Every structure is written in structure tokens, then in C-alpha cells.
Amino acid sequence: MSEQITVSLPDGSTKKFPRGATSLDVAMSISEGLARNVLAARVNGEIWDAFRPIDKDTSIQLLTWKDDEGKSTMWHSSAHLMAEALEALYPGIKLGIGPPIENGFYYDVDFGDQEFDSENLEALENKMLELARGKSEYERKDVSKADAIKYFTEKGDEYKLELIEGLEDGDITFYTQGNFTDLCKGPHIPNTGFIKAVKILNVAGAYWRGDETRKQLTRLYGVSFPKQKELKEHLEILEQAKLRDHRKLGKELELFTFSEKVGKGLPLWLPKGAVLRERLENFMRRAQVKAGYDPVVSPHIGGKELYVTSGHYEKYGKDSFQPIETPAEDEEFLLKPMNCPHHCEIYKSRPRSYRDLPIRYAEFGTVYRYEQSGELHGLTRVRGFTQDDAHIFCAQDQVKAEFAKVIDLVLYVFSALGFGDFTAQVSLRDPNDPDKYIGEDELWDRAEKEIQEVADEKGLDTVVEYGEAAFYGPKLDFMVKDALGRKWQLGTIQVDYNLPQRFDLEYVGSDNQKHRPVMIHRAPFGSMERFIAILIENSAGNFPLWLAPDQAAILPISEKYHEYAKELHLKLQEVDISGFLDERDEKIGKKIRDAEVRKVPFMLIVGENEAQDGSVSVRQHGEGDLGSMKTDEFVQFFTNKVSELIG
């Protein structure tokens, strides 16, 4: 066996190292400065500790704080550091799990009879920083199942013992830093010294393993950074996010509400919210008609066998509401978790020819998933939500053209709604885990190639993520950055060779033979509920003019001008400009301030001069006085503004 290994770097270069060299050794061979900043490494597609020995030829990408995987590794290590600090401050506590999350980390803790509240946060942060300054190395160790059980039995930590039950001997590792050892797959940063700033953000309750019948633990959320300045900037963004929180603005703008009697995670749309939602739906319907989609409608329930056939019962069965039984024996229905099985049955309702293809079915279909109550969050995580769902059934040689048309539709939606900063993520197979996917490699290769080609032809800013494909095919996900720099997935296009096969879908080709269609799933909005939540937060409630529930507030200076104001209100309604008439006995300054708070795009002030010459004094939200206009002039001005936004 050779004592040398070959390491391939992202720039195509290769280097030789002794067997057992680490990613840190590779970094040091490039520059000492780089080595000081390496947090982890991608080794043959897997994220590894930078200090883990490598014993065979490999490809390596060194990961720093600039990489998402680097941040995730540091936050994972910070969760372990928090657990070490907690054990030092609260001896005898028991620990659940402590993973990294999108913007930080958390750890679930059983404090037993000891009390922990928000007054303890500063002491915990100080203890973490004290331990971090010790620069303790994270050490990885393979452990047998018997030794792992012995360790946590002696420690008296039943939560870790339960986790070990589901692990196989030979696949168990411990990580130790300082005086703390944890059951963990890793990876971790080289040492705690990289952690220079920490903040415990929130304390919440969480049922063990998400099971409402199990004990509720204390979940501590935190975040860490390599510089105090970055933590300060992050906290400023969080403060801005609180002001933009869609739950807060949704209440202030009277868009939606929730009721315990109706049920958790089931939003009720108030009149203004219903108008907003209806405008979005109508906008998409008009765009879909132009793009050649046919509307369909499917029921809110379906027979259990429908979802068994599609595979959704296996995938969502545990997260679904319990089956609905009828008086008939062995007859069961489910609230639908997805619309696509219904659309497959619509396609199958009559024989199809190649001349029919492509067929494009679109539906605003409401689906249901039983999310745990602890996971519900405003409109972003609900139990009933509506998708702007569509499914395209096409021949294989039509996939590329149809994919391109869907991209055009997504870009049109983003442009009209002000989402200009986005990245297109090409989600492909994990080359190291082919068993996760179904279908022939030839079809996968073709679909992946076509998705990338179309994205390139459209000039999209793309990133490739291996392992993010759906089990039935690759996809293109649109990752949008909002006004606070947060990333959201809005819009997805997926190529599916699986459902047409499971439902035995066919069409007769020009050769008079039966062929299997390809299915493209697409949802530019995704969930209407989640999309509106993101739209509220991105715009801070200042919706695009065409979308605002109240587009104009008519503000008479005094009661003498109410009649003229009412005539104006009716005229605006006739030309589909929505708004309200403020007839309160308040000074005009108060009316203007209130309309500004309600984020009404235009304020139309009417007094003696306006009543005499049929005009309005126009103010624009956030802009101020635009001067006097004849009513017809304002209508044309308004119409032009809307046309600029949505064409």
C-alpha cells in the first residue's frame, strides 16, 4: 500500500501528502493564513473535521466562515460548547440533542429540579466565552455500542441512551472538548478558540423527539460568530426582523388571525387579507392562461389508496391527519397532503396522444399536514395551506422547452413582486448515495444536463447543490434574498419520472406505440400562506401598488366635503381602485398620519378647492405631496404606475 495519497483541489490542481494527513495539513501547504481560518472540509462530497486523517486519494474543498457549511460546523461546535457550559453551571442536567440550524444552533435540556430562565442567559454566555478562550480541541473517537451505553449509563443520561438504541455498532462516534463528551456524528471545528462572540437568543419548550406525549425539555437557541462586530450586525438585523415580523404586521394591517376553537395552524383570512390573497391568485391565473395552462379543481380529500400509489402515504403518513372512515367497511379517506396524485388521475381520465402534449394543469389546491404544535409559526408553518400548484405532462423531447417556459413565469412573478436578488439552485443527486433515488441513470443524466443548460441559457446566477434533488428527479429552486439579507426558497421546478410510472400514465406516440410522459411539478409561489408571510416581511407591509388591499384613502378635510368624497370613492371603485373613505371627525393631519401607519399607497385629500373643480390633492405613502390632479388624471396616473409594475 502506498504511503502517499493524492489530494485534488477545486482549481484542478493536485498535491501529494503522507497517508493520514488532514485537511489542515492541506491548508497549511497553501498558506498559514488559510490554515488559521479553516473550519471544516468537504472530503469526497462529505463534510469532515479539518483535523480528521485521510487515508486514500481524495478531492478536498476547504471550508471557512464564508461557506455555509463552515458556519454550520461552527454552530454545531457552539452547541457542544453551550452544553459544556450548562453542565458546569448546572451539574446533573440531562441533554437531548444539539444541532446547528439555519442561523445558529440549539440544545434541548432537561434541568430536572433546577430552574433556568432569561435571567441566567448572561451568565451562560460568559461561561461559554470563558471556555472558548481555553482553545480546547474537538477530539473525535470511534466507540463501540457497548462502551457508548456504559458511558451514558454511568452518567445517567437516558436521552442519549435512547438515541444509541437506534444506532449500529461500528457507526458510533463521540466528540470531546474540554470536560464535555457527547454522542455525535460531527463534524466540528478544530478548537473552541474560533468562537469569539456568542448570544443566547431564545428559551422555549420542546417535546422530546417532537412527541407531544413525551417530556417537555427546555430548548436554548443561540448563535456565535468569529468576531464581535459580526454578532452586533446580526443582532441589528434581528431587531429589524422583529419590526417586520409578519405575525405583528398581519395583526396591525388586519390581514389574518388564528382561533384556538378553529384549530392551531389553521389561519383565518380577514377581509383585507382575503383581498391581498385574491389579487395574488388572479395575477397568477392571468399569467397561467397566457402560458397555456388549463385550470382544474380537485377535492380536499382522497382515497387512501391514491396516496399509497403515489408514495405520499409512506412519505407523509406520520405527518398526516388520521384517516377519515365512512360507514362502508374498509373505506378510508385522507385529507390530501399533495395535489399531484389528483392531477395524475385527471390526466388518466381519457386516452392521450402525442398531439395532446404538453398538457398543463394548474390549481390553487389546499393541502393538509399535521405539523407538531411546537413547529407551528404564523403563516410560515401551518397545518392547512394552499399551493399554486401546476403539473405539466410532456414528452421527453419537450422537457427542456417546458422548463424554460416555467423559468420565464417565475422571473415574471419575481419582477412584479420586487424579488430581484436571488440565486437559482440546481439540486442534483448525491453521487455517493445513489440508492436514495429511483429511475435510470440515463434519464437522470439527461434531466440534470437539461436543467443546467436551460438555466445557463436564461442567464441565471446558479449554484449546484449535490444531494438536494428529490428522490424522483432533479430540480431548480429559486433562493431569494430579502431586504434583511435572509434567504428564502421561493419557486421550485421539479422533473419527475416517478409518478407517471407509479400511476401507469401513457400516451400514444407518432409511431402508434405507447410511451410514458414526463411530469414537471412547478409552484412559483409555493405555499400561498408562506409566500404572503415572506412578502409581508420583505416589504415591511408596503405592498406593491397593484397588490395593496387599500390602494387609496379618501380624506375629506371636514364633514362639508363628505358628499364629494363619497362620489369620488364610488368613481374609484368603478375603475377597480380599492380603498376607504375616512369620515371620522378628526383633523386632516391625524387622518394622514393614520393612513401612513396603515401603509396606504395614496392619500386623496379633498376640501373646498377639490370639490369645486373635481380634483384631488394627492399624497404618496413615504413620498409626500404630489400636488393637485383632476380625478381622471389621478386614475390615469394610478393605471400607469400599475402597468410599470406588472405590464
Side-chain angles (χ1 to χ4, degrees), residues 47 49 52 76 140 167 171 173-175 182-188:
I47 310 302
D49 311 300
R52 185 172 170 182
H76 190 180
R140 182 179 189 273
L167 301 177
D171 190 32
T173 52
F174 280 3
Y175 276 84
D182 204 356
L183 172 72
C184 182
K185 289 184 177 181
H188 287 284

PDB file of all heavy atoms in Angstrom, residues 47 49 52 76 140 167 171 173-175 182-188:
ATOM      1  N   ILE A  47     -18.878  16.402   4.468  1.00  0.00           N
ATOM      2  CA  ILE A  47     -18.275  17.399   5.341  1.00  0.00           C
ATOM      3  C   ILE A  47     -17.560  16.678   6.485  1.00  0.00           C
ATOM      4  O   ILE A  47     -18.166  15.907   7.220  1.00  0.00           O
ATOM      5  CB  ILE A  47     -19.326  18.379   5.905  1.00  0.00           C
ATOM      6  CG1 ILE A  47     -20.193  18.924   4.779  1.00  0.00           C
ATOM      7  CG2 ILE A  47     -18.636  19.518   6.647  1.00  0.00           C
ATOM      8  CD1 ILE A  47     -19.429  19.641   3.693  1.00  0.00           C
ATOM      9  N   ASP A  49     -14.366  16.836   9.712  1.00  0.00           N
ATOM     10  CA  ASP A  49     -13.495  17.642  10.565  1.00  0.00           C
ATOM     11  C   ASP A  49     -12.217  17.949   9.790  1.00  0.00           C
ATOM     12  O   ASP A  49     -11.667  17.072   9.111  1.00  0.00           O
ATOM     13  CB  ASP A  49     -13.101  16.868  11.831  1.00  0.00           C
ATOM     14  CG  ASP A  49     -14.284  16.228  12.534  1.00  0.00           C
ATOM     15  OD1 ASP A  49     -15.187  16.979  12.928  1.00  0.00           O
ATOM     16  OD2 ASP A  49     -14.279  14.998  12.691  1.00  0.00           O
ATOM     17  N   ARG A  52      -9.436  15.517  10.773  1.00  0.00           N
ATOM     18  CA  ARG A  52      -9.644  14.066  10.612  1.00  0.00           C
ATOM     19  C   ARG A  52      -8.654  13.507   9.587  1.00  0.00           C
ATOM     20  O   ARG A  52      -8.537  14.038   8.470  1.00  0.00           O
ATOM     21  CB  ARG A  52     -11.074  13.804  10.167  1.00  0.00           C
ATOM     22  CG  ARG A  52     -11.446  12.347  10.081  1.00  0.00           C
ATOM     23  CD  ARG A  52     -12.932  12.214   9.811  1.00  0.00           C
ATOM     24  NE  ARG A  52     -13.327  10.860   9.485  1.00  0.00           N
ATOM     25  CZ  ARG A  52     -14.558  10.479   9.161  1.00  0.00           C
ATOM     26  NH1 ARG A  52     -15.523  11.400   9.121  1.00  0.00           N
ATOM     27  NH2 ARG A  52     -14.836   9.227   8.873  1.00  0.00           N
ATOM     28  N   HIS A  76     -22.546  24.050  15.099  1.00  0.00           N
ATOM     29  CA  HIS A  76     -22.650  22.730  15.728  1.00  0.00           C
ATOM     30  C   HIS A  76     -21.687  22.643  16.914  1.00  0.00           C
ATOM     31  O   HIS A  76     -22.045  22.200  18.012  1.00  0.00           O
ATOM     32  CB  HIS A  76     -22.332  21.650  14.691  1.00  0.00           C
ATOM     33  CG  HIS A  76     -22.638  20.258  15.159  1.00  0.00           C
ATOM     34  ND1 HIS A  76     -22.413  19.149  14.375  1.00  0.00           N
ATOM     35  CD2 HIS A  76     -23.133  19.777  16.318  1.00  0.00           C
ATOM     36  CE1 HIS A  76     -22.760  18.069  15.032  1.00  0.00           C
ATOM     37  NE2 HIS A  76     -23.202  18.428  16.225  1.00  0.00           N
ATOM     38  N   ARG A 140     -12.317  13.544  18.037  1.00  0.00           N
ATOM     39  CA  ARG A 140     -13.258  12.542  17.538  1.00  0.00           C
ATOM     40  C   ARG A 140     -12.781  11.150  17.923  1.00  0.00           C
ATOM     41  O   ARG A 140     -11.588  10.841  17.822  1.00  0.00           O
ATOM     42  CB  ARG A 140     -13.362  12.651  16.013  1.00  0.00           C
ATOM     43  CG  ARG A 140     -14.345  11.707  15.346  1.00  0.00           C
ATOM     44  CD  ARG A 140     -14.350  11.963  13.842  1.00  0.00           C
ATOM     45  NE  ARG A 140     -15.404  11.249  13.156  1.00  0.00           N
ATOM     46  CZ  ARG A 140     -15.305  10.000  12.693  1.00  0.00           C
ATOM     47  NH1 ARG A 140     -14.155   9.349  12.843  1.00  0.00           N
ATOM     48  NH2 ARG A 140     -16.315   9.422  12.089  1.00  0.00           N
ATOM     49  N   LEU A 167     -28.790   3.141  16.881  1.00  0.00           N
ATOM     50  CA  LEU A 167     -27.517   3.150  16.147  1.00  0.00           C
ATOM     51  C   LEU A 167     -26.930   1.756  16.048  1.00  0.00           C
ATOM     52  O   LEU A 167     -27.169   0.895  16.907  1.00  0.00           O
ATOM     53  CB  LEU A 167     -26.523   4.092  16.832  1.00  0.00           C
ATOM     54  CG  LEU A 167     -26.961   5.557  16.961  1.00  0.00           C
ATOM     55  CD1 LEU A 167     -25.915   6.359  17.733  1.00  0.00           C
ATOM     56  CD2 LEU A 167     -27.199   6.170  15.583  1.00  0.00           C
ATOM     57  N   ASP A 171     -20.835   2.313  14.066  1.00  0.00           N
ATOM     58  CA  ASP A 171     -21.252   3.576  13.440  1.00  0.00           C
ATOM     59  C   ASP A 171     -21.521   4.624  14.507  1.00  0.00           C
ATOM     60  O   ASP A 171     -22.379   5.477  14.350  1.00  0.00           O
ATOM     61  CB  ASP A 171     -22.512   3.337  12.592  1.00  0.00           C
ATOM     62  CG  ASP A 171     -22.871   4.535  11.726  1.00  0.00           C
ATOM     63  OD1 ASP A 171     -21.943   5.243  11.299  1.00  0.00           O
ATOM     64  OD2 ASP A 171     -24.069   4.771  11.498  1.00  0.00           O
ATOM     65  N   THR A 173     -19.812   7.519  17.160  1.00  0.00           N
ATOM     66  CA  THR A 173     -18.644   8.339  17.487  1.00  0.00           C
ATOM     67  C   THR A 173     -18.969   9.285  18.631  1.00  0.00           C
ATOM     68  O   THR A 173     -20.102   9.737  18.780  1.00  0.00           O
ATOM     69  CB  THR A 173     -18.167   9.168  16.273  1.00  0.00           C
ATOM     70  OG1 THR A 173     -19.273   9.888  15.729  1.00  0.00           O
ATOM     71  CG2 THR A 173     -17.572   8.278  15.202  1.00  0.00           C
ATOM     72  N   PHE A 174     -17.940   9.560  19.437  1.00  0.00           N
ATOM     73  CA  PHE A 174     -18.005  10.571  20.487  1.00  0.00           C
ATOM     74  C   PHE A 174     -17.132  11.746  20.071  1.00  0.00           C
ATOM     75  O   PHE A 174     -16.126  11.577  19.369  1.00  0.00           O
ATOM     76  CB  PHE A 174     -17.454  10.024  21.813  1.00  0.00           C
ATOM     77  CG  PHE A 174     -18.411   9.162  22.597  1.00  0.00           C
ATOM     78  CD1 PHE A 174     -19.672   8.839  22.112  1.00  0.00           C
ATOM     79  CD2 PHE A 174     -18.042   8.667  23.841  1.00  0.00           C
ATOM     80  CE1 PHE A 174     -20.544   8.043  22.836  1.00  0.00           C
ATOM     81  CE2 PHE A 174     -18.900   7.873  24.583  1.00  0.00           C
ATOM     82  CZ  PHE A 174     -20.151   7.558  24.075  1.00  0.00           C
ATOM     83  N   TYR A 175     -17.509  12.936  20.512  1.00  0.00           N
ATOM     84  CA  TYR A 175     -16.651  14.117  20.376  1.00  0.00           C
ATOM     85  C   TYR A 175     -16.444  14.705  21.767  1.00  0.00           C
ATOM     86  O   TYR A 175     -17.391  14.833  22.549  1.00  0.00           O
ATOM     87  CB  TYR A 175     -17.290  15.167  19.466  1.00  0.00           C
ATOM     88  CG  TYR A 175     -17.040  14.930  18.005  1.00  0.00           C
ATOM     89  CD1 TYR A 175     -17.849  14.061  17.284  1.00  0.00           C
ATOM     90  CD2 TYR A 175     -15.998  15.568  17.338  1.00  0.00           C
ATOM     91  CE1 TYR A 175     -17.627  13.835  15.928  1.00  0.00           C
ATOM     92  CE2 TYR A 175     -15.767  15.350  15.983  1.00  0.00           C
ATOM     93  CZ  TYR A 175     -16.584  14.487  15.281  1.00  0.00           C
ATOM     94  OH  TYR A 175     -16.353  14.263  13.944  1.00  0.00           O
ATOM     95  N   ASP A 182     -19.763  14.136  24.041  1.00  0.00           N
ATOM     96  CA  ASP A 182     -21.122  13.991  23.523  1.00  0.00           C
ATOM     97  C   ASP A 182     -21.171  12.911  22.452  1.00  0.00           C
ATOM     98  O   ASP A 182     -20.186  12.666  21.735  1.00  0.00           O
ATOM     99  CB  ASP A 182     -21.613  15.316  22.928  1.00  0.00           C
ATOM    100  CG  ASP A 182     -23.131  15.434  22.917  1.00  0.00           C
ATOM    101  OD1 ASP A 182     -23.810  14.464  23.304  1.00  0.00           O
ATOM    102  OD2 ASP A 182     -23.631  16.500  22.534  1.00  0.00           O
ATOM    103  N   LEU A 183     -22.320  12.268  22.352  1.00  0.00           N
ATOM    104  CA  LEU A 183     -22.624  11.353  21.251  1.00  0.00           C
ATOM    105  C   LEU A 183     -22.884  12.209  20.020  1.00  0.00           C
ATOM    106  O   LEU A 183     -23.782  13.043  20.018  1.00  0.00           O
ATOM    107  CB  LEU A 183     -23.861  10.531  21.600  1.00  0.00           C
ATOM    108  CG  LEU A 183     -24.455   9.645  20.502  1.00  0.00           C
ATOM    109  CD1 LEU A 183     -23.560   8.451  20.249  1.00  0.00           C
ATOM    110  CD2 LEU A 183     -25.865   9.188  20.908  1.00  0.00           C
ATOM    111  N   CYS A 184     -22.094  12.026  18.943  1.00  0.00           N
ATOM    112  CA  CYS A 184     -22.214  12.958  17.821  1.00  0.00           C
ATOM    113  C   CYS A 184     -21.523  12.397  16.585  1.00  0.00           C
ATOM    114  O   CYS A 184     -20.473  11.764  16.676  1.00  0.00           O
ATOM    115  CB  CYS A 184     -21.579  14.297  18.206  1.00  0.00           C
ATOM    116  SG  CYS A 184     -21.706  15.565  16.956  1.00  0.00           S
ATOM    117  N   LYS A 185     -22.125  12.659  15.415  1.00  0.00           N
ATOM    118  CA  LYS A 185     -21.506  12.280  14.143  1.00  0.00           C
ATOM    119  C   LYS A 185     -20.515  13.331  13.648  1.00  0.00           C
ATOM    120  O   LYS A 185     -19.721  13.064  12.749  1.00  0.00           O
ATOM    121  CB  LYS A 185     -22.581  12.065  13.072  1.00  0.00           C
ATOM    122  CG  LYS A 185     -23.420  10.818  13.264  1.00  0.00           C
ATOM    123  CD  LYS A 185     -24.382  10.645  12.095  1.00  0.00           C
ATOM    124  CE  LYS A 185     -25.181   9.357  12.229  1.00  0.00           C
ATOM    125  NZ  LYS A 185     -26.109   9.175  11.074  1.00  0.00           N
ATOM    126  N   GLY A 186     -20.608  14.555  14.193  1.00  0.00           N
ATOM    127  CA  GLY A 186     -19.754  15.630  13.721  1.00  0.00           C
ATOM    128  C   GLY A 186     -20.311  16.238  12.451  1.00  0.00           C
ATOM    129  O   GLY A 186     -21.459  15.985  12.071  1.00  0.00           O
ATOM    130  N   PRO A 187     -19.516  17.047  11.752  1.00  0.00           N
ATOM    131  CA  PRO A 187     -18.136  17.413  12.074  1.00  0.00           C
ATOM    132  C   PRO A 187     -18.075  18.594  13.028  1.00  0.00           C
ATOM    133  O   PRO A 187     -19.092  19.206  13.352  1.00  0.00           O
ATOM    134  CB  PRO A 187     -17.582  17.812  10.707  1.00  0.00           C
ATOM    135  CG  PRO A 187     -18.763  18.417  10.005  1.00  0.00           C
ATOM    136  CD  PRO A 187     -19.952  17.619  10.458  1.00  0.00           C
ATOM    137  N   HIS A 188     -16.817  18.927  13.447  1.00  0.00           N
ATOM    138  CA  HIS A 188     -16.598  20.047  14.353  1.00  0.00           C
ATOM    139  C   HIS A 188     -15.375  20.845  13.933  1.00  0.00           C
ATOM    140  O   HIS A 188     -14.537  20.377  13.159  1.00  0.00           O
ATOM    141  CB  HIS A 188     -16.436  19.546  15.789  1.00  0.00           C
ATOM    142  CG  HIS A 188     -17.724  19.091  16.390  1.00  0.00           C
ATOM    143  ND1 HIS A 188     -18.684  19.978  16.842  1.00  0.00           N
ATOM    144  CD2 HIS A 188     -18.234  17.852  16.585  1.00  0.00           C
ATOM    145  CE1 HIS A 188     -19.733  19.292  17.289  1.00  0.00           C
ATOM    146  NE2 HIS A 188     -19.489  18.002  17.136  1.00  0.00           N
TER     147      HIS A 188
END
